[in-house]
Amino acid sequence: MSDDLVEPVDTALRNQGEGLADQAARAVLAYREGERAPLAALVHVMTPLLWHTVRAQGTDKEQAEDIVQNVWLTLVRDIDQIRDPRATLQWMLVTAKRSAWRTVRRSRDEQVRQTNDEHATEWLTTPAEDRPDSVAVRTERDEALWGHVSALPDRCRKLLGLVAMVERPDYAVVSQALGMPVGSIGPTRGRCLAKLRASLTADPTWSLS
């Protein structure tokens, strides 16, 4: 910035009070002229205000430290580009707030992505039969099936309930448990299954499942 522009601003500032906005403006002008002390004093005074502004947007401590530091670094980097030093305070507060918004938004988006990824990984690595939807469907079908079994005659209910417990039922054991001749177990089981099949076929809800 040329001297003919700096001087009127500096003169105007000298006639104003000692507010923080004026202190920030004077620090900018002094820094351009090679005097660092006013900016150091401004850092001491303004950092708590910037910190509070950033933290109020929902950032954590580490995020707030980074944002406040970047605001000061940006100010020093672009200090010669500031057209109106009296707007420095407002610029810093707005910059800090917007940076905090962006940081918080990125953090939330990342948390959502991470959560979705974890759910997706859990879904992909969980056996299909153990997934919640599969378990729910299987439970529903089992309940419906045993509902039809319970409607069968007592002889069929006992026989099917017993042979369903093992993959290869021992007919001798079944015969002893039910007081049924071994030779009649197979045919009786077949007739009971046929009745169950007919009952399930007639059930529209089972046909749709």
Side-chain angles (χ1 to χ4, degrees):
M1 177 176 281
S2 61
D3 293 340
D4 59 331
L5 292 178
V6 172
E7 184 59 30
V9 172
D10 186 44
T11 300
L13 289 174
R14 293 177 190 280
N15 295 328
Q16 294 181 11
E18 293 297 330
L20 189 55
D22 300 326
Q23 184 177 348
R26 292 193 182 95
V28 168
L29 293 173
Y31 191 91
R32 287 174 175 173
E33 295 172 355
E35 188 179 353
R36 304 292 188 258
L39 185 61
L42 183 67
V43 170
H44 179 73
V45 173
M46 270 201 67
T47 293
L49 177 59
L50 291 173
W51 173 269
H52 175 77
T53 299
V54 170
R55 289 284 278 164
Q57 311 313 311
T59 61
D60 59 31
K61 182 179 178 181
E62 184 177 353
Q63 291 170 335
E65 290 175 349
D66 290 341
I67 291 171
V68 171
Q69 182 179 33
N70 286 334
V71 170
W72 286 115
L73 291 175
T74 302
L75 174 66
V76 172
R77 184 192 66 196
D78 299 337
I79 201 165
D80 291 329
Q81 308 302 320
I82 298 176
R83 299 181 61 183
D84 183 0
R86 288 166 295 194
T88 300
L89 175 64
Q90 182 180 3
W91 173 86
M92 294 184 72
L93 291 174
V94 170
T95 299
K97 183 177 291 187
R98 288 178 177 173
S99 296
W101 287 344
R102 288 193 295 270
T103 298
V104 170
R105 186 168 61 248
R106 282 196 300 268
S107 294
R108 288 175 180 169
D109 290 345
E110 180 59 30
Q111 288 176 357
V112 170
R113 282 195 298 271
Q114 184 175 355
T115 300
N116 289 340
D117 289 345
E118 288 174 354
H119 287 170
T121 300
E122 180 180 0
W123 182 266
L124 291 173
T125 56
T126 300
E129 63 273 12
D130 293 335
R131 293 174 186 166
D133 60 335
S134 299
V135 172
V137 170
R138 189 165 62 248
T139 301
E140 234 177 82
R141 289 176 62 86
D142 288 349
E143 289 177 353
L145 173 61
W146 287 108
H148 283 278
V149 170
S150 65
L152 294 173
D154 183 65
R155 189 181 183 85
C156 286
R157 288 201 309 272
K158 291 181 179 179
L159 176 59
L160 294 181
L162 188 59
V163 299
M165 294 180 183
V166 292
E167 183 177 353
R168 294 181 179 179
D170 186 333
Y171 279 10
V173 174
V174 174
S175 173
Q176 184 177 2
L178 299 180
M180 182 184 299
V182 173
S184 67
I185 293 176
T188 302
R189 180 188 183 193
R191 288 192 298 271
C192 292
L193 288 175
K195 290 180 181 180
L196 177 60
R197 189 177 302 111
S199 178
L200 292 173
T201 303
D203 182 355
T205 60
W206 177 266
S207 300
L208 293 174
S209 62

